[in-house]
Amino acid sequence: MKKVTTAYFSPTGNSKKYSILLAEKIGLPFEQLDFTKKENRQNNFIFSKEDIVIFSAPVYAGRLPNINLFENVEGNGAYAICMVTYGNREYDDALLELKDKCEQKGFHVIAAAAWIGKHTYSEILGADRPNEKDILKIEELATYIYDGIEKQKFQGEHLKVKGNPNYCEHKALSFVPQPNEKCSQCGSCIKKCPVGAIDSKTLLADAEKCISCFACVKGCTKHARKTENTFFPKLVEKLETSLKEIEKEAEIFLLE
């Protein structure tokens, strides 16, 4: 029997949620490896053919987060499932990018999936996901993985997923959350920030380091952080107007 590891980067919880749901449905013992923590992106992790690793990350403007993500892992033939989460717009090239990265690191990618989760910038887009259809797809994927391990039918096959091999450019997002008058200086935002962008004394975010993941916004119980970018409310309104009536379905990709 193989060992399952959920390896996720999940500032607002979507990618963690889906990776753990899948691991639970597979039914094998599993452990969590949280790459949202900066120290885990600095330590090295070596896997073997006895491992199954569920990689999961959010989509930012069609790409994986523009940080040193999953660079410190070594597959050595371990099975990998690649998953991305997005807020009901598009996942563009992010899933292909994650699959390529895992293959370059020596993993045998046996499945992939794109899931819809609550949008980083909206309270309504994807708010009810995962839904019943998502759970059925998770169960389908889990059964495929477990049966494939038992029958050893994954050998020597190449997985195809959607995406352009000439990935779209990383778009710099200028939505940098800063403390407002409600801030009590508790410092919880510092712990939430996955890239160390928040100053420990002033609690101001460094625009050069911030990746606009809004972990500090979502994690502040006092609602004391927000972006001052005047375009932000217009963007949210535009997204909600164009996407709230479109209920996209999750997609899974299996070896042929």
Side-chain angles (χ1 to χ4, degrees):
M1 301 294 278
K2 299 205 172 226
K3 179 181 58 132
V4 178
T5 300
T6 61
Y8 51 79
F9 179 79
S10 190
T12 58
N14 288 325
S15 295
K16 176 181 178 179
K17 182 189 302 180
Y18 275 103
S19 61
I20 291 177
L21 277 172
L22 178 59
E24 290 174 341
K25 294 294 184 181
I26 292 173
L28 297 176
F30 71 93
E31 59 185 34
Q32 299 180 44
L33 186 53
D34 187 358
F35 282 88
T36 322
K37 297 178 179 179
K38 194 173 181 179
E39 59 268 24
N40 283 338
R41 302 198 302 274
Q42 297 171 335
N43 298 328
N44 294 321
F45 298 95
I46 300 174
F47 297 96
S48 73
K49 290 184 177 180
E50 297 304 310
D51 290 302
I52 305 166
V53 186
I54 302 171
F55 288 97
S56 186
V59 178
Y60 293 160
R63 294 287 301 276
L64 293 179
N66 192 17
I67 59 172
N68 188 34
L69 185 60
F70 304 140
E71 293 292 342
N72 57 335
V73 296
E74 186 177 319
N76 295 306
Y79 289 154
I81 298 95
C82 297
M83 310 199 310
V84 295
T85 57
Y86 67 105
N88 204 42
R89 187 191 68 82
E90 287 292 346
Y91 59 92
D92 297 308
D93 303 327
L95 186 59
L96 177 61
E97 182 182 8
L98 180 56
K99 185 188 81 79
D100 289 347
K101 184 184 289 285
C102 288
E103 289 178 342
Q104 291 163 7
K105 293 297 178 180
F107 290 89
H108 184 190
V109 181
I110 59 172
W115 309 105
I116 293 84
K118 188 174 182 180
H119 198 288
T120 302
Y121 302 148
S122 171
E123 292 299 315
I124 63 173
L125 293 177
D128 63 340
R129 309 295 286 268
N131 57 24
E132 291 183 6
K133 289 184 178 180
D134 295 324
I135 298 300
L136 289 175
K137 283 189 178 291
I138 290 171
E139 291 174 347
E140 176 188 349
L141 181 54
T143 299
Y144 164 84
I145 294 166
Y146 188 86
D147 289 349
I149 294 167
E150 290 292 290
K151 298 173 184 177
Q152 297 184 343
K153 67 178 182 181
F154 295 136
Q155 298 300 320
E157 299 186 59
H158 184 71
L159 183 73
K160 295 180 180 180
V161 303
K162 291 182 180 179
N164 188 334
N166 298 315
Y167 311 139
C168 57
E169 292 185 15
H170 277 291
K171 295 179 181 178
L173 302 176
S174 56
F175 307 129
V176 182
Q178 302 292 7
N180 60 27
E181 66 281 356
K182 297 179 182 178
C183 180
S184 66
Q185 302 283 312
C186 72
S188 65
C189 55
I190 298 172
K191 298 177 182 178
K192 295 287 184 181
C193 180
V195 293
I198 300 176
D199 186 271
S200 60
K201 295 181 179 179
T202 65
L203 302 186
L204 293 173
D206 185 335
E208 295 297 319
K209 294 180 180 179
C210 178
I211 59 173
S212 301
C213 70
F214 274 38
C216 61
V217 175
K218 303 286 187 179
C220 180
T221 58
K222 295 180 175 60
H223 306 289
R225 295 188 73 85
K226 65 178 183 179
T227 177
E228 297 297 334
N229 188 309
T230 55
F231 178 67
F232 182 72
K234 299 176 183 177
L235 172 66
V236 174
E237 182 181 3
K238 181 179 179 181
L239 286 170
E240 291 180 346
T241 300
S242 61
L243 300 178
K244 67 181 179 181
E245 302 300 330
I246 304 171
E247 190 71 15
K248 293 198 173 181
E249 293 191 11
E251 295 181 73
I252 60 175
F253 301 88
L254 310 177
L255 288 171
E256 298 177 356

